[in-house]
Amino acid sequence: MQSKRRVTIALIAEEAGVSIPTVSKVINGRPEVAPDTRQRVERLLHKHGYQRRTGQGDGPVGLIDLVFAEIESPWAMELVRGAEEAAHEADANVVISVLHTKAGPGRDWVDRIAARRTDGVIIIGSRLSARQSGQLTARSIPFVTVDPEGEPAPGVPSVGATNWNGGLSATRHLLELGHRRVGMIGGPADMLCSRARIDGYKAALDTAGIPVDPELIRYGDFLVHSGHDYGHALLDLDDPPTAIFAGSDLQAFGVFEAARQRGLRVPDDLSVVGFDDLPLAQSAWPPLTTVRQPLQEMAALATRMVLTIGRGGTPEPSRVELATDLMIRESTAPPKSS
């Protein structure tokens, strides 16, 4: 019986029909390789599960890459703090990359990371395709996703929060106060955490026997301006909501401003609930009722997971949802008619 051939750079080069130096350039993220050749080599590296030999110079480098689609919010800063704390415990530092796109990291980005080496990559709020996962795997770069845009591919470690339960508890709180017209401003329609929060909202209404009114649901981008604009749109309805559940604290602050511009008082005329429990939520006026998701803990856990993978371990479980909690403050009250 023929023994299985050990996976080496020479074997990959032979199957790809290229030179050994070319395979080495692909593994190390060097730019001087034709795109078609690079893709062919990457497919074979992924297919064979090639792992670089561990030797001098292949040990930990003390860098964790934190990759954001966007970073223009306090939400992102909370994640950075959590990752930095966990990295510090492991004598590592955090490098931040901002893609300015929801499309996820492309090949050029992966090549740059591979060229300077890293102990692992944490990809936040982006969609990671099977091809991109293969590119990272082929280079032996551990990675974990946090709040991925879509459903992670099988085998991809991920960290999130119990978004559905958060949407349920936020909406149920408003219903228990007596509200029956509850508006919902979610995040992007194709983002997993946003869909889960809206599904929780719908489940609370359904359990209370209240039909879901599509006119009361809007899709934003989790930022202040969409809370402001869609807050106005909901309040312009012939039968406006008496309460609005915003899919993020920033959107809730936008709703605050829309209410102020219309001469409405929160919570006397309009109750508002957010999601995240950013530090600003407690100091807002009125202090914001919101669903707390443990952002710092999520990033810290993802950092520990990626370090575990880098050491050859397997995080258990590989997909984690941390609990959310409803923080009741002064932005919610019974409607005037109650």
Side-chain angles (χ1 to χ4, degrees), residues 72-95:
E72 299 173 356
S73 79
W75 172 87
M77 292 300 98
E78 290 298 294
L79 290 164
V80 171
R81 290 189 183 99
E84 285 185 329
E85 181 177 347
H88 178 73
E89 292 172 358
D91 293 323
N93 294 304
V94 170
V95 178

Side-chain angles (χ1 to χ4, degrees), residues 30 54 80-81 100 109 125 139 153 159 161-162 168 175 197 199 204 210 215-216 222 232 255 263 284 300-301:
R30 297 280 295 278
T54 301
V80 171
R81 290 189 183 99
H100 301 291
W109 175 87
R139 290 167 168 81
V159 178
T162 53
L168 179 79
L175 295 173
R197 292 168 199 178
D199 286 346
I210 299 173
E215 196 174 40
L216 289 174
F222 289 140
H232 274 301
V255 174
L301 176 58

Side-chain angles (χ1 to χ4, degrees), residues 212-236:
V212 174
D213 183 352
E215 196 174 40
L216 289 174
I217 302 175
R218 306 299 162 106
Y219 296 92
D221 60 6
F222 289 140
L223 299 179
V224 173
H225 73 90
S226 67
H228 172 270
D229 295 348
Y230 288 121
H232 274 301
L234 289 170
L235 294 170
D236 278 337

Side-chain angles (χ1 to χ4, degrees), residues 48-115:
H48 289 290
Y50 173 80
Q51 296 291 322
R52 288 185 299 181
R53 292 180 62 190
T54 301
Q56 189 173 8
D58 276 340
V61 294
L63 291 178
I64 300 293
D65 279 270
L66 201 59
V67 182
F68 289 89
E70 301 286 348
I71 201 170
E72 299 173 356
S73 79
W75 172 87
M77 292 300 98
E78 290 298 294
L79 290 164
V80 171
R81 290 189 183 99
E84 285 185 329
E85 181 177 347
H88 178 73
E89 292 172 358
D91 293 323
N93 294 304
V94 170
V95 178
I96 298 172
S97 297
V98 185
L99 303 171
H100 301 291
T101 174
K102 295 288 187 182
R107 185 174 63 242
D108 291 344
W109 175 87
V110 176
D111 288 344
R112 290 196 300 272
I113 292 294

Side-chain angles (χ1 to χ4, degrees), residues 168-228:
L168 179 79
S169 62
T171 309
R172 183 173 287 166
H173 167 64
L174 293 168
L175 295 173
E176 289 173 349
L177 287 172
H179 295 278
R180 291 299 176 265
R181 292 282 290 174
V182 179
M184 172 77 216
I185 305 175
D190 60 351
M191 196 162 190
L192 195 63
C193 65
S194 174
R195 295 202 307 267
R197 292 168 199 178
I198 292 173
D199 286 346
Y201 158 85
K202 291 178 178 178
L205 293 174
D206 184 63
T207 302
I210 299 173
V212 174
D213 183 352
E215 196 174 40
L216 289 174
I217 302 175
R218 306 299 162 106
Y219 296 92
D221 60 6
F222 289 140
L223 299 179
V224 173
H225 73 90
S226 67
H228 172 270

